[in-house]
Amino acid sequence: MQDAGFIFASYIITVAAIVLFAVGTLRRAKSSAKVVEDQHKPWI
Amino acid sequence: MLSQSAPKFSSTGTQATRIVGALTIIVMTWVLISGLVFTPADVVQGESVRIMYVHVPSAWVAYLAFIVTAIASAFYIFAKRHSLGFDRVAGASAEVGVMFMVITLVTGSLWGRLTWGEFWQWDPRLTTTAFLLVTYVGYLAVRRLDGSVEQRARRSAVIALLAVLEIPLVHFSVVFWRSLHQRATILDPNGDVKMDGLMLFTLFTGVVGFTLVFVWLILHRQRTMLLSDLANQSGLDAAILARQNESVSI
């Protein structure tokens, strides 16, 4: 399968981008959440 | 009380996000395995067609995200109560949309190299897609300009309502102009879908899986934006208070 490198690259880039975005969001939420009172978090 | 009681894994998670997250992982795992292993090669494109299972759903979610941005912006502008919640949904959706648009362009570029022999062509579909991406990067830049959160919301809502008009141009670019990019296969106006059953099913579950990713990300991202806005506000309040105390002591 000559095209394997391109195919795997497209899957890896897709998954990596989504995971990095998700992890970045959760980390940012965690650091901001430390200075915000629970009463301002309607989802809690 | 400060958030010492927040869950360890996520500060923005709820039962609903955990269910969506679990569903997302299950569906995406199936899509990745089926796309790489189970689905057959295409008669014309060979193995390179496997890129379709990530490229097409990414493009779909990017369109969806930008449409959600426009709808939330319209609610912000036209609703009686200008709720900043709509603005945060708009901003979160645009960020997710930009990420998926980049994925669309990169995976499309890799696919193009295999089918056309080139990573990039100034083809109508590719050019209008790149233009759409630049527009929403600009939208995100405007959101970071100085000013109050209300100013941010008003400015960006106007841009979002104008930017969404580019989507039909991108989608129908392959019809309006001569294009290297193939025309719509699934959304063919004649309803004549010439695709193997498993390929079609994998593509459909890909669209579902990527949409679940979008829902999960947007739920967390807009809550993160609320936390950031509140954290910035409390930092500003603390700075003002310190400054006032300084002037009193002088």
Side-chain angles (χ1 to χ4, degrees):
Chain A
M1 200 161 106
Q2 287 179 320
D3 306 339
F6 286 90
I7 295 166
F8 282 123
S10 62
Y11 278 66
I12 290 166
I13 289 166
T14 303
V15 173
I18 293 170
V19 169
L20 284 175
F21 189 95
V23 170
T25 298
L26 294 178
R27 288 182 69 173
R28 213 145 136 194
K30 216 166 200 177
S31 66
S32 299
K34 285 176 189 164
V35 292
V36 175
E37 294 176 1
D38 280 352
Q39 67 192 45
H40 295 305
K41 299 168 190 165
W43 57 92
I44 288 184
Chain B
M1 181 190 138
L2 289 184
S3 61
Q4 299 303 319
S5 60
K8 278 191 175 176
F9 177 70
S10 159
S11 308
T12 47
T14 57
Q15 187 70 15
T17 59
R18 280 186 276 277
I19 291 169
V20 174
L23 266 176
T24 304
I25 290 170
I26 293 167
V27 177
M28 288 298 283
T29 305
W30 156 257
V31 171
L32 298 181
I33 293 172
S34 181
L36 283 173
V37 182
F38 298 150
T39 53
D42 184 63
V43 177
V44 179
Q45 299 191 34
E47 300 290 348
S48 72
V49 78
R50 297 181 192 285
I51 297 177
M52 171 179 73
Y53 306 114
V54 289
H55 175 73
V56 173
S58 300
W60 149 253
V61 172
Y63 286 172
L64 173 71
F66 296 149
I67 290 168
V68 168
T69 298
I71 292 170
S73 300
F75 272 108
Y76 175 78
I77 288 187
F78 299 116
K80 273 187 180 172
R81 200 170 70 88
H82 299 294
S83 168
L84 286 169
F86 291 127
D87 171 60
R88 284 190 288 271
V89 169
S93 191
E95 286 186 5
V96 177
V98 164
M99 181 194 67
F100 278 106
M101 196 92 271
V102 171
I103 293 174
T104 304
L105 283 172
V106 173
T107 54
S109 175
L110 291 168
W111 198 2
R113 177 69 181 78
L114 293 176
T115 51
W116 307 331
E118 298 272 3
F119 283 108
W120 186 264
Q121 282 283 326
W122 290 104
D123 161 272
R125 171 58 72 82
L126 275 64
T127 308
T128 51
T129 305
F131 188 65
L132 184 67
L133 173 68
V134 171
T135 305
Y136 277 92
V137 169
Y139 167 88
L140 294 179
V142 167
R143 290 188 67 86
R144 279 157 182 75
L145 290 177
D146 283 343
S148 67
V149 283
E150 287 79 13
Q151 285 173 324
R152 174 190 78 188
R154 259 198 314 275
R155 285 175 194 147
S156 51
V158 172
I159 295 172
L161 290 175
L162 292 172
V164 76
L165 300 176
E166 286 179 40
I167 291 179
L169 187 72
V170 176
H171 187 73
F172 292 109
S173 59
V174 289
V175 180
F176 295 156
W177 298 290
R178 278 163 40 131
S179 176
L180 268 175
H181 196 284
Q182 71 180 67
R183 292 186 172 205
T185 309
I186 307 299
L187 300 175
D188 180 8
N190 303 322
D192 184 19
V193 181
K194 293 181 183 122
M195 195 185 276
D196 170 81
L198 184 60
M199 290 169 86
L200 194 60
F201 180 70
T202 305
L203 186 60
F204 175 73
T205 46
V207 168
V208 172
F210 277 63
T211 306
L212 285 169
V213 172
F214 167 72
V215 171
W216 189 90
L217 286 175
I218 201 173
L219 283 171
H220 282 281
R221 193 73 196 95
Q222 54 96 13
R223 288 172 186 168
T224 305
M225 282 181 165
L226 171 63
L227 292 174
S228 296
D229 285 348
L230 290 169
N232 289 341
Q233 185 58 46
S234 70
L236 191 64
D237 289 345
I240 291 169
L241 193 68
R243 191 63 192 258
Q244 282 170 347
N245 290 341
E246 273 176 28
S247 56
V248 167
S249 61
I250 290 169

